[in-house]
Amino acid sequence: MSRTGKVSFFLTEAGRQVVFYGATTVAIGLFAGHYFPHSICISYYKEFVQAYKNGEERKLSEKLEQRYKRALSLLDLSEFERKFAKPFVVYGFDVFNAGSFKTRYGAYVGIPSNFEYDSAAAIDRTDIKIRNQPIDWGTEAGRLLEDALVLTEDEQVFGIARELLTMKTHKSLIQSIIPTVSWMFTYSLASQLNERCNFYARPRSLRLILYTICGLFGFGIYSFSTDMTEIYYETDVDKQMAALGPDVVDAGARFYDKVLKKNIAIRKLTGEDYYTAKGNVNYMLRQKAAPLTLRKEFFQTGYKDYVGTEETS
């Protein structure tokens, strides 16, 4: 069959049905790809981000178990929620969460191995590499990273509690629905314009322009909705943490300061611009998360307005 014959098939009723079923399959795949790692495939997701040493999973120490329990006691969680979430050692330097208290598949809080360090002397320097390269701890960036990797107990508890609060939300479900809805909207828009403006009878190049415009519009909706949802939940969790008291507020400011220092150190050590000079993640055109500098600033000064408003309401 000629190339023209293959293309013309999709202009027939049968061809349109094939496209419709294909679009539906993509929509289901988008939802599954985003939601399954936080639900029925959560155990595989946890294994993927788990920290290993010598081929075996790193075990959580008794010290970190106690700090995890302290984070649980800090929050207003039900007995079910306290038993539902499980801690584990996650790869990398950042705390992590997977799953949700809103599902029945479990939830995990990832605690980085550097939470084991109570002082710079306790850092296992041979065990830490960036981009599989050893770190020159004698440089300014190396010393900055050394300082950033050692968190106080209060800072660690803050980070763990923040992830627990995040899992009390519907974020994972909503951020799975957004790409599905965005895709179906894009497909429906292109399909309706095709029929109403009779693009099927027009040159293929014109239809490709239409699909490109619809695709960019759909991607814009997806990007904006996903980014705003992420920022909303991050700022909401920070507000809930600030309402827990001045000690938590102080720990929050110091926690984000350490995260920013860690990012700045990695930027200097690697020479890459994944992080900005201030330590925020460099997202280029999008803003996929709340800037860390603003989150730190909230716990330094912004929380006063929020807590004051809460008390007077």
Side-chain angles (χ1 to χ4, degrees):
M1 184 180 290
S2 67
R3 180 178 176 85
T4 304
K6 289 182 180 180
V7 174
S8 63
F9 167 75
F10 293 103
L11 303 181
T12 65
E13 188 61 32
R16 295 179 196 179
Q17 287 294 318
V18 170
V19 173
F20 171 77
Y21 291 130
T24 303
T25 302
V26 171
I28 295 172
L30 285 171
F31 179 82
H34 284 80
Y35 191 63
F36 282 11
H38 294 278
S39 54
I40 62 177
C41 297
I42 191 171
S43 60
Y44 299 106
Y45 190 24
K46 181 251 184 184
E47 290 177 6
F48 181 73
V49 298
Q50 168 83 47
Y52 295 87
K53 187 172 185 179
N54 299 325
E56 296 183 355
E57 293 184 359
R58 288 180 181 263
K59 301 299 182 182
L60 211 62
S61 67
E62 180 63 27
K63 176 177 65 178
L64 292 186
E65 287 275 7
Q66 292 302 318
R67 292 178 183 179
Y68 174 76
K69 291 178 181 178
R70 185 183 161 196
L72 288 175
S73 64
L74 186 66
L75 305 174
D76 183 22
L77 300 177
S78 66
E79 189 63 27
F80 167 77
E81 290 172 333
R82 292 172 184 270
K83 295 179 179 179
F84 192 70
K86 304 294 182 184
F88 73 101
V89 181
V90 70
Y91 177 79
F93 302 130
D94 298 310
V95 282
F96 170 85
N97 74 79
S100 170
F101 292 130
K102 308 297 183 181
T103 71
R104 60 185 180 87
Y105 297 102
Y108 291 97
V109 177
I111 302 176
S113 58
N114 63 286
F115 275 28
E116 293 280 2
Y117 309 142
D118 291 323
S119 66
I123 296 177
D124 184 0
R125 290 166 175 78
T126 60
D127 190 45
I128 300 176
K129 294 183 179 180
I130 297 179
R131 308 288 190 271
N132 286 324
Q133 297 297 320
I135 298 170
D136 186 353
W137 297 96
T139 63
E140 178 186 353
R143 291 190 294 271
L144 183 63
L145 180 62
E146 182 181 83
D147 178 60
L149 292 181
V150 181
L151 282 74
T152 66
E153 181 175 343
D154 287 345
E155 292 163 5
Q156 293 178 8
V157 170
F158 174 91
I160 296 169
R162 187 192 67 173
E163 301 307 306
L164 287 166
L165 275 182
T166 301
M167 293 192 298
K168 289 192 69 175
T169 69
H170 291 284
K171 188 181 83 166
S172 60
L173 176 61
I174 292 175
Q175 290 194 330
S176 301
I177 293 174
I178 288 173
T180 306
V181 172
S182 299
W183 166 255
M184 292 306 296
F185 172 79
T186 303
Y187 167 77
S188 300
L189 177 64
S191 180
Q192 287 296 315
L193 288 174
N194 261 331
E195 291 185 7
R196 293 195 177 190
C197 301
N198 196 25
F199 271 91
Y200 293 118
R202 302 193 181 192
R204 186 195 316 167
S205 58
L206 198 59
R207 292 199 303 275
L208 290 176
I209 293 174
L210 169 68
Y211 299 151
T212 300
I213 293 173
C214 290
L216 290 173
F217 185 63
F219 181 74
I221 293 175
Y222 159 75
S223 299
F224 177 80
S225 302
T226 301
D227 297 352
M228 290 302 101
T229 301
E230 182 69 27
I231 292 172
Y232 167 78
Y233 281 116
E234 287 182 345
T235 53
D236 183 61
V237 166
D238 280 348
K239 289 176 181 178
Q240 292 182 57
M241 293 296 295
L244 295 176
D247 291 341
V248 176
V249 169
D250 180 58
R254 289 185 280 112
F255 173 82
Y256 284 118
D257 183 63
K258 292 286 180 68
V259 175
L260 287 166
K261 286 181 177 179
K262 180 260 298 178
N263 293 349
I264 293 171
I266 292 176
R267 173 188 168 94
K268 291 181 177 179
L269 288 167
T270 62
E272 299 174 1
D273 61 352
Y274 180 76
Y275 299 110
T276 67
K278 292 185 177 181
N280 291 311
V281 180
N282 190 359
Y283 290 119
M284 301 299 288
L285 297 177
R286 293 176 59 183
Q287 185 60 56
K288 297 182 181 180
L292 292 168
T293 48
L294 293 183
R295 300 184 78 173
K296 173 188 172 182
E297 184 179 326
F298 170 76
F299 283 97
Q300 288 178 323
T301 57
Y303 78 93
K304 297 176 182 177
D305 296 332
Y306 168 73
V307 174
T309 303
E310 288 289 296
E311 290 176 350
T312 56
S313 61

